[in-house]
Amino acid sequence: MIVMTPGAGEAEVEAVRERLATTGVHVVVMPGELTTAIGAIGDPEGVAELGLEGMGGVDRVVPISRPYKLASSELNHEHPTVLDIDGRIVGGGETFCLIAGPCTVESREQTLGVARAVKAAGASMLRGGAFKPRTSPFAFKGLGPEALEILAEARAETGLPVVTELLDSQHAEAVHAHADVVQIGARNMQNYALLEVAGKLGKPVLLKRGLSSSLDELLQAADYILKEGNEAVILCERGIRTFETATRFTLDLGAVPWLKLHTHLPVIVDPSHAAGDRRLVEALARGAAAVGADGIIVEVHDEPEQAMCDGPQQLRTRDFPRFAAEVLAHAALAGRRPSTA
Ligand code: PEP
Ligand code: MN
């Protein structure tokens, strides 16, 4: 990373960029309030040979030691990334984002009902799967385009931005047209071609940690999106595979403060998929608020017993207002206000 002096002008930045371009490294210019930093990702020895320290306007050249580059807090030299999604602030440490909705869009009535209820209880955004990744190819895979239309209607009525998963690049256009936040599911965290497609869509991306992925791998996956010029990436800890099988996955709450140290990106937690049991979701959500998460994403259903997917972990709609109040109270203890428009 090349840090420019506070007084460096555009021509000096451009001269550095041009010299870097001769080596074939990936160059990202990051203007800050005080100084501009230039990320040069590629062969470090080639960059060292350029003699950048001697160029006009260059303050210092700082090597980035981590395997992840664009996601690294070493690179974003001034501030954490703060996203404004239709007035909902995600990241930056002052807000707590409550994303809620059904696991899967099953019908218009179901989705609109849940959307109205979560909105009334203070949710920041609506979640809902249109294209579902399922372990068995014979399980319900979502309503597809019809679900996207239903989500659009819920958005129009409630004003809640919509978070929905992009499962396959062939749905990219349709998802782009309807989603405010494009989710990349845990099973696709290392689908690098899909990450590039998501990066190019130009919408905020919610990137879920792979079932057995290390945090280094999560941040390198984020780099795939960031390198497309998309700075709006939200990371999500959603539980990992361990020897423990009592819970569906083991929620790695330690990941949150670790990520806060190592990346500038916002971090949220999914207690629903981690727990696999609605009775555990509130405790884990409170924990997420306590360890400094920027928000949570939770599943809510009117009649979880009838749900087509993930019934046991979905909160009941009627329980959601109390759940939201509890979790937001814990977030307030951590100095965070609800992320609402
Ligand atoms: C989801 O959030 O709808 C989902 C399938 O979660 P994950 O990818 O974390 O399993
Ligand atoms: Mn689910």
Side-chain angles (χ1 to χ4, degrees):
M1 179 172 71
I2 297 94
V3 183
M4 304 300 286
T5 59
E10 255 173 57
E12 288 163 319
V13 170
E14 199 42 43
V16 172
R17 184 215 277 276
E18 274 170 22
R19 192 172 293 187
L20 285 168
T22 61
T23 66
V25 293
H26 183 84
V27 180
V28 221
V29 176
M30 295 160 293
E33 268 163 42
L34 296 173
T35 57
T36 291
I38 303 170
I41 298 144
D43 168 31
E45 278 164 29
V47 172
E49 281 165 17
L50 293 175
L52 297 169
E53 283 93 344
M55 291 185 74
V58 172
D59 182 29
R60 60 194 190 276
V61 177
V62 190
I64 296 190
S65 50
R66 313 276 183 201
Y68 40 89
K69 306 294 179 190
L70 300 173
S72 174
S73 44
E74 290 177 289
L75 186 71
N76 197 331
H77 60 303
E78 286 181 3
H79 300 295
T81 292
V82 181
L83 308 182
D84 180 337
I85 300 167
D86 220 1
R88 282 77 176 174
I89 304 300
V90 189
E94 288 173 14
T95 60
F96 192 81
C97 179
L98 182 51
I99 305 170
C103 171
T104 309
V105 174
E106 297 168 10
S107 72
R108 186 173 171 273
E109 296 65 42
Q110 167 241 14
T111 303
L112 289 178
V114 172
R116 288 178 195 124
V118 300
K119 161 82 189 212
S124 316
M125 298 187 216
L126 175 68
R127 66 149 288 148
F131 301 96
K132 297 299 297 179
R134 301 305 302 273
T135 301
S136 165
F138 308 113
F140 177 62
K141 292 196 187 106
L143 292 178
E146 187 188 339
L148 294 175
E149 297 296 335
I150 293 170
L151 287 168
E153 195 179 336
R155 182 194 203 292
E157 193 189 308
T158 61
L160 292 176
V162 162
V163 182
T164 196
E165 178 163 350
L166 174 64
L167 185 63
D168 186 315
S169 55
Q170 58 177 318
H171 309 136
E173 236 174 80
V175 169
H176 176 258
H178 291 94
D180 297 283
V181 177
V182 175
Q183 178 173 323
I184 297 292
R187 288 154 192 83
N188 270 324
M189 190 206 88
Q190 287 182 309
N191 182 343
Y192 299 121
L194 187 68
L195 296 177
E196 287 177 342
V197 168
K200 287 192 179 93
L201 290 179
K203 292 239 166 132
V205 175
L206 170 53
L207 177 62
K208 300 189 84 173
R209 180 181 184 181
L211 312 184
S212 301
S213 296
S214 68
L215 295 173
D216 265 23
E217 289 166 336
L218 172 63
L219 293 179
Q220 288 176 82
D223 268 357
Y224 269 90
I225 301 164
L226 296 164
K227 97 177 156 51
E228 297 304 326
N230 186 346
E231 291 167 11
V233 177
I234 304 166
L235 304 170
C236 180
E237 162 57 38
R238 47 80 71 211
I240 50 173
R241 280 260 154 81
T242 66
F243 58 81
E244 183 57 77
T245 54
T247 46
R248 189 178 180 193
F249 294 93
T250 299
L251 185 63
D252 181 9
L253 280 180
V256 177
W258 188 92
L259 286 167
K260 288 284 162 193
L261 284 176
H262 291 86
T263 178
H264 52 88
L265 297 171
V267 181
I268 68 167
V269 168
D270 175 348
S272 300
H273 288 90
D277 178 338
R278 80 177 60 83
R279 296 171 299 176
L280 311 182
V281 171
E282 187 184 313
L284 296 180
R286 291 195 312 247
V291 295
D294 295 299
I296 54 168
I297 177 165
V298 286
E299 293 188 337
V300 185
H301 198 286
D302 253 344
E303 281 182 291
E305 288 74 15
Q306 309 299 322
M308 308 202 68
C309 183
D310 288 348
Q313 71 197 29
Q314 301 205 53
L315 299 172
R316 291 179 203 286
T317 308
R318 64 166 186 269
D319 295 336
F320 186 77
R322 204 197 55 80
F323 167 87
E326 282 292 330
V327 175
L328 290 173
H330 278 72
L333 290 175
R336 291 166 182 266
R337 62 185 153 80
S339 178
T340 43

